[in-house]
Amino acid sequence: MSTASDPPSETTGVPPSASISPSNTDILSAGHYRVALVGNPNTGKSTLFNALAGLNVRTGNYPGVTIEKKVGRCYASTSSGERHSIDLVDLPGTYSLAPRSPDEMVAVEVLTGDVDKEEPIDLIVCVVNATMIRRNLFLVSQLMELGKPMIVVLNMIDASQSRGVKIDTDRLAKNLGVPVIATSASRRIGIDELKHLIADQCATQNTGKDSTEPSEDNRIPRPDPRSPLPAAFAEATDSVMKTLVEHNVPHGSLPNPFMIQRALIDGQHAAVGSPTAETFLSQQYGFCITRAILDQRKQIFDSDAGGASVDLIDRECDARYAWALAQLDGVIQKGSSDHSGWTDRIDAILTHRVFGLISFMLIMFAIFQSIYSFAGIPMDVIDGLSGWVSDGVVAIMPPGMLRSLITDGIIAGVGGVLIFLPQIALLFLFLALLEDCGYMARAAFVVDRMMSAFGLSGKSFLPLMSSFACAVPGVMATRVIESRRDRLTTIMVAPLMSCSARLPVYLLLIGAFVPATKYLGGWMSLPALVLMSMYLVGVVVAVPVAWVLKKTILRGDAAPFVLELPEYKLPALRVVFSRVWQASVAFVVRAGTLIFAASILIWFAGFWPGDHTRQFELETQLESMEASDQSNLDSYAAAKSELNEVKGSLIENSLLGKAGHAIEPIVRPLGWDWKIGVGAIASFPAREVIIATLGTIYSLGGEEDDDGLIGAMRASKYPDGSPVYTLPVALSVMVFFALCAQCVSTLLVIRRETNSWFWPVLSFTYMTVLAYVGALVTFQVGSRIF
Amino acid sequence: MRVVRNSGCRCRASLDHFLREFSMTLDQLTPGQRGRILRIQGVDSVSSRLREMGFVAGEWVEYVCRAPFSGPVKCGLADARIAVRNGEAKRVEVELIA
């Protein structure tokens, strides 16, 4: 365990006044530093982040941009025993610091100190996959050019050792000129040493900075001398910097030389609409820098006319890989088995052109089957609990408005939604497991051809897969897609993926109206199949939608697809647990705030206006009958049926009932009654509200029975005695919810990510139309078949 | 088929011509075949992404398999496994080594 909770020894003897430090909450630590965690994808960076910070993580946004900022706090002491608090900034995984997508741009700006100017990075921790050091040194060489103190962490050292590879970390540290430490974040090897090293490096850096700072301010920043690039690059960078000084840019606000160098190299071929170092610089310093960069780029070409390639990036990559090879001189001793065979052996099946597809479908089916079957027990517990609480409230409170608010509004509403916490947790558990063990990249590989058929790439797979949990992180995950058109198409279809908020709706209706027929000796059940097909509805509809978008407003060439397939590994339970935990907390908070407020509003609309005195009289009468246990059954039953009648007429005449009857003609063709119509309308802010709404309607309307909401829905009848819910009705409701954009959070996140109201309005409109048409077709066709 | 790169050739133009005639691109290999990367064609964001991912001249690359429905090519590059689409694989010029 970490030492975060241990009381620090040096606080003893500190006078009380000294402990009120102006800095902030860290009154117990000597210093406060910010450390950036950078690395290629698949280096175990998030596992390392978790091992260092535990659950002590804050998320937010960078000022002005919408990129998620993940900061973890840990405490570490130096070798001299001083205790420091360290803020770990987790940057998105990247292969290169050449900014090409919005989140790579933020990573670069954080590292150069152009974002969060008041909180500069004190130390860079570069996470390197110990099994592929040479490839990872590419990024290391770029990071070294930033001129910041740095530590290289050789993570997953256990995987490399198990192949018999020996790595001389001291020699590598000597070659690179920065500290190198070997860790295994998943086995928690070397974590405490890493913390010490971070604290030591931060502390020494700080003391060094204090003495030299005044003189440094007057110096013009120069490219880092350790750069492996040809001298022409550094000369050109210097020259651009000189132009800025000539244009009277104050020394304090000159850019990091790395930015200029990137602008020189990348400028040639920027994709339209994506951020580059050059656009960044010209925004900050105006046209003079654009011209200087153009001139100097020509200079590099001329100075090196005999060079091998016309492309500056080509020259950059050659120089960096040659440098990486030189750094590894004498560092790595190859073992007997130089390749881990079992990843390839598993891949022989999972990425096979036939078995790969079959296993992909089997894995997806297994997930839906287990979400459906495993969650039953904890669900019953929560259901029982909410019934017990409701009974308790009824027992201690006399009938009246307040009791009605608590039992009919809050418990029936919020409780009905909370029941689905186990499923949400399970869904996130499976997604986290698949991602952490390395299968997600294989899934993207297997489905890429199918995605490309409708204009997307395997890169859209992860955002779309995340959208099965929730479209909000799914839309945010599209930032990894470089092509703007692909990104917008993915954003447009992401809300069609059935998110976890739809799951409760499906489960409720399937549980109530789909017979639990079993096939294949119990291995497959009809409810699970229906559940899976509801998920497929969204996917199947997304295909033509994406295709149409790519043929019309988002027309253009296919984007590149280069994807690393990481080695399989056992999932790190801490990472998986923390993802499930965060998702569950978010769900409960949502139920406690948004759904809570909606429940109260819906209850009020269902309660008012109306004279409830007769209802409360009857309830009092009934409860006293139950208590005395002597009255005859006939009068009890008579009172009970009168109560239900009174409740039913009250809700029909309430605000909710009137609104429902007003919209009934619109929802009638879908096979719905007014109650479902009201539920669907009420759930436009958030889908789960339909459960709260139906729970409240049936509870207020006196139709709640012992089986909870499912029982009430089964028993629900039209005045002529025919059941409200039939299988086609249930399917039509489910299809409507599968396709409709009933989520304010998603629409707002689309607005933020696209920076325009056009896209959220488009997705709301097309999804609502699709949902209505889909539900109409389902009911009209379904009611003719069944 | 075995292409031997004649490094002693002084005439660069004819060497380039020779390579263009006889070299293959990554997508033309068959499962299990290995090659050495000669160059990446073109100058744009695709070629720079490929280079950053390690597709640089002189590196070994092995064609492992192809995804269902003739999808992306999975190849081994240094110690990593990387999937590229056909369009990207066509940009990677290799000389076949058995």
Side-chain angles (χ1 to χ4, degrees):
Chain A
M1 281 306 292
S2 80
T3 54
S5 54
D6 298 349
S9 51
E10 62 269 24
T11 50
T12 42
V14 173
S17 61
S19 66
I20 305 164
S21 138
S23 64
N24 45 35
T25 52
D26 298 300
I27 44 173
L28 300 179
S29 40
H32 180 77
Y33 299 104
R34 282 166 63 82
V35 172
L37 211 57
V38 203
N40 282 20
N42 311 314
T43 50
K45 189 164 66 73
S46 48
T47 319
L48 188 68
F49 180 80
N50 254 279
L52 288 170
L55 289 175
N56 199 354
V57 177
R58 288 177 290 126
T59 52
N61 277 330
Y62 288 102
V65 284
T66 54
I67 310 296
E68 190 185 53
K69 174 182 179 181
K70 202 168 156 202
V71 183
R73 169 71 55 89
C74 74
Y75 297 89
S77 28
T78 61
S79 39
S80 59
E82 267 185 333
R83 200 174 139 81
H84 298 293
S85 81
I86 311 277
D87 269 353
L88 287 164
V89 184
D90 192 20
L91 293 175
T94 177
Y95 289 99
S96 159
L97 280 190
R100 230 169 267 135
S101 64
D103 59 338
E104 284 173 347
M105 194 68 203
V106 164
V108 175
E109 287 176 25
V110 167
L111 291 170
T112 56
D114 287 313
V115 164
D116 280 357
K117 272 198 195 312
E118 70 283 2
E119 290 180 312
I121 297 292
D122 298 297
L123 177 73
I124 296 171
V125 173
C126 180
V127 189
V128 163
N129 182 339
T131 62
M132 32 187 94
I133 301 179
R134 188 156 62 95
R135 290 167 51 76
N136 285 213
L137 282 183
F138 184 90
L139 182 65
V140 172
S141 82
Q142 289 181 327
L143 287 168
M144 282 171 63
E145 287 167 11
L146 292 167
K148 296 237 178 206
M150 181 161 92
I151 296 176
V152 169
V153 178
L154 295 182
N155 195 28
M156 302 162 77
I157 194 73
D158 51 332
S160 143
Q161 279 165 350
S162 71
R163 283 183 224 168
V165 178
K166 285 203 182 69
I167 300 170
D168 187 345
T169 50
D170 293 335
R171 178 132 191 194
L172 183 61
K174 221 177 108 215
N175 289 357
L176 291 172
V178 300
V180 176
I181 183 170
T183 63
S184 165
S186 55
R187 300 198 183 171
R188 306 187 61 75
I189 299 168
I191 299 299
D192 288 335
E193 291 85 340
L194 175 59
K195 280 187 183 173
H196 279 306
L197 187 61
I198 290 175
D200 275 340
Q201 291 293 314
C202 285
T204 51
Q205 155 68 10
N206 197 38
T207 50
K209 202 165 69 184
D210 283 344
S211 55
T212 58
E213 189 124 57
S215 64
E216 225 169 63
D217 254 5
N218 291 324
R219 216 185 292 152
I220 300 168
R222 297 216 49 223
D224 197 282
R226 292 175 294 182
S227 166
L229 298 184
F233 287 83
E235 284 159 20
T237 308
D238 276 343
S239 174
V240 173
M241 198 68 96
K242 211 182 286 165
T243 314
L244 284 178
V245 175
E246 279 160 14
H247 279 78
N248 297 324
V249 175
H251 285 191
S253 55
L254 284 172
N256 190 309
F258 180 81
M259 250 344 186
I260 297 181
Q261 188 184 296
R262 281 266 52 107
L264 286 168
I265 299 171
D266 295 334
Q268 286 179 306
H269 34 72
V272 184
S274 56
T276 61
E278 192 171 342
T279 53
F280 174 84
L281 288 173
S282 61
Q283 273 164 19
Q284 301 256 314
Y285 303 98
F287 185 61
C288 67
I289 196 164
T290 324
R291 224 176 40 216
I293 288 170
L294 214 65
D295 288 347
Q296 288 307 317
R297 196 179 292 144
K298 204 169 162 301
Q299 283 278 314
I300 300 179
F301 276 124
D302 295 346
S303 72
D304 210 1
S309 169
V310 288
D311 182 16
L312 289 188
I313 292 198
D314 210 354
R315 286 192 214 169
E316 184 207 0
C317 292
D318 284 348
R320 291 193 195 284
Y321 279 109
W323 175 86
L325 206 59
Q327 301 304 303
L328 288 176
D329 177 44
V331 170
I332 297 180
Q333 272 183 31
K334 284 269 180 205
S336 45
S337 61
D338 66 341
H339 227 269
S340 95
W342 55 283
T343 288
D344 291 329
R345 255 172 273 154
I346 297 173
D347 263 356
I349 298 167
L350 290 187
T351 61
H352 188 271
R353 62 175 68 194
V354 178
F355 301 122
L357 211 56
I358 295 174
S359 27
F360 171 77
M361 295 209 259
L362 281 179
I363 289 170
M364 293 299 134
F365 179 75
I367 290 175
F368 293 119
Q369 176 77 39
S370 41
I371 284 176
Y372 200 79
S373 50
F374 292 167
I377 300 158
M379 277 178 76
D380 287 346
V381 172
I382 298 177
D383 195 18
L385 213 64
S386 88
W388 181 79
V389 171
S390 180
D391 287 349
V393 172
V394 168
I396 56 169
M397 286 177 80
M401 204 167 139
L402 186 63
R403 191 178 95 176
S404 170
L405 169 67
I406 295 175
T407 57
D408 300 331
I410 298 169
I411 297 177
V414 176
V417 173
L418 274 186
I419 283 183
F420 297 99
L421 180 61
Q423 266 101 347
I424 307 288
L426 269 177
L427 182 69
F428 276 92
L429 174 74
F430 285 119
L431 283 178
L433 283 176
L434 284 187
E435 202 180 338
D436 208 50
C437 76
Y439 181 72
M440 219 52 128
R442 270 75 185 182
F445 172 73
V446 168
V447 301
D448 178 72
R449 183 68 189 88
M450 290 176 268
M451 311 270 288
S452 72
F454 53 99
L456 292 175
S457 79
K459 286 240 170 104
S460 305
F461 179 77
L462 185 64
L464 292 180
M465 192 69 203
S466 316
S467 300
F468 280 109
C470 175
V472 172
V475 168
M476 294 201 293
T478 59
R479 289 180 202 130
V480 299
I481 304 170
E482 293 146 46
S483 148
R484 180 179 157 273
R485 291 184 308 266
D486 279 15
R487 182 162 176 241
L488 283 172
T489 314
T490 313
I491 288 178
M492 282 296 102
V493 295
L496 281 174
M497 304 301 119
S498 278
C499 65
S500 53
R502 287 164 170 118
L503 189 55
V505 184
Y506 298 157
L507 290 170
L508 179 74
L509 291 163
I510 292 176
F513 304 107
V514 175
T517 322
K518 292 233 191 314
Y519 306 106
L520 298 180
W523 281 98
M524 206 184 261
S525 63
L526 188 59
L529 279 176
V530 173
L531 183 64
M532 192 163 151
S533 45
M534 288 325 297
Y535 276 80
L536 281 177
V537 166
V539 178
V540 168
V541 170
V543 175
V545 170
W547 188 82
V548 167
L549 283 171
K550 291 289 272 188
K551 284 283 170 211
T552 55
I553 47 178
L554 295 169
R555 200 166 24 200
D557 294 333
F561 176 78
V562 185
L563 181 75
E564 183 177 343
L565 305 175
E567 200 124 295
Y568 287 111
K569 65 182 176 77
L570 284 177
L573 290 180
R574 283 172 163 265
V575 174
V576 172
F577 171 76
S578 90
R579 276 194 63 182
V580 173
W581 175 253
Q582 280 166 14
S584 306
V585 167
F587 180 76
V588 172
V589 165
R590 206 170 138 86
T593 52
L594 188 68
I595 313 286
F596 179 80
S599 295
I600 292 179
L601 279 179
I602 304 261
W603 168 82
F604 178 76
F607 191 84
W608 185 85
D611 184 10
H612 289 261
T613 38
R614 179 69 190 142
Q615 179 197 343
F616 297 147
E617 265 173 39
L618 282 165
E619 278 175 1
T620 321
Q621 192 186 332
L622 276 169
E623 272 157 38
S624 67
M625 279 177 178
E626 279 166 22
S628 62
D629 210 21
Q630 287 166 7
S631 48
N632 68 45
L633 284 170
D634 282 351
S635 66
Y636 180 82
K640 181 119 196 171
S641 73
E642 193 193 343
L643 174 66
N644 284 347
E645 212 169 278
V646 169
K647 275 179 151 186
S649 85
L650 277 170
I651 193 152
E652 296 264 334
N653 291 311
S654 69
L655 208 59
L656 199 64
K658 293 220 176 76
H661 285 297
I663 60 158
E664 203 170 5
I666 307 172
V667 298
R668 214 40 260 167
L670 310 182
W672 303 358
D673 73 342
W674 68 268
K675 289 169 189 167
I676 309 175
V678 161
I681 301 278
S683 46
F684 267 90
R687 305 185 164 86
E688 307 96 304
V689 173
I690 186 161
I691 296 185
T693 311
L694 289 179
T696 302
I697 291 177
Y698 287 119
S699 187
L700 278 175
E703 290 184 66
E704 182 87 76
D705 77 357
D706 294 338
D707 261 350
L709 186 51
I710 289 187
M713 287 166 61
R714 278 188 185 142
S716 179
K717 291 212 172 19
Y718 284 112
D720 67 6
S722 61
V724 171
Y725 290 92
T726 56
L727 190 57
V729 173
L731 288 176
S732 139
V733 173
M734 283 194 277
V735 168
F736 186 87
F737 274 79
L739 299 179
C740 200
Q742 293 162 309
C743 181
V744 169
S745 321
T746 304
L747 295 172
L748 288 180
V749 89
I750 295 177
R751 157 80 185 85
R752 270 193 352 199
E753 292 290 317
T754 59
N755 208 14
S756 132
W757 279 110
F758 175 75
W759 299 105
V761 168
L762 176 69
S763 74
F764 178 80
T765 319
Y766 95 80
M767 285 180 73
T768 309
V769 170
L770 268 184
Y772 189 85
V773 173
L776 183 71
V777 171
T778 308
F779 176 72
Q780 296 299 339
V781 173
S783 54
R784 278 163 182 74
I785 296 173
F786 297 106
Chain B
M1 171 173 145
R2 189 177 172 88
V3 174
V4 182
R5 186 176 179 177
N6 182 1
S7 54
C9 176
R10 280 164 194 270
C11 180
R12 200 179 166 79
S14 77
L15 172 66
D16 278 358
H17 178 76
F18 171 77
L19 290 176
R20 218 163 292 138
E21 284 291 299
F22 291 95
S23 68
M24 312 171 76
T25 50
L26 180 56
D27 62 299
Q28 293 166 333
L29 301 186
T30 53
Q33 279 188 327
R34 272 156 62 87
R36 194 195 301 276
I37 298 175
L38 295 174
R39 59 178 202 136
I40 309 295
Q41 297 171 352
V43 178
D44 58 3
S45 59
V46 178
S47 64
S48 34
R49 180 58 89 207
L50 284 171
R51 289 185 184 117
E52 285 167 2
M53 298 281 287
F55 288 91
V56 285
E59 197 70 58
W60 290 79
V61 62
E62 181 187 348
Y63 184 110
V64 181
C65 68
R66 211 183 254 284
F69 311 118
S70 17
V73 174
K74 182 179 138 192
C75 57
L77 181 74
D79 289 321
R81 295 158 196 82
I82 293 179
V84 290
R85 271 191 183 166
N86 234 358
E88 283 80 51
K90 277 188 200 306
R91 308 277 290 267
V92 182
E93 258 179 48
V94 294
E95 59 178 342
L96 186 68
I97 317 255

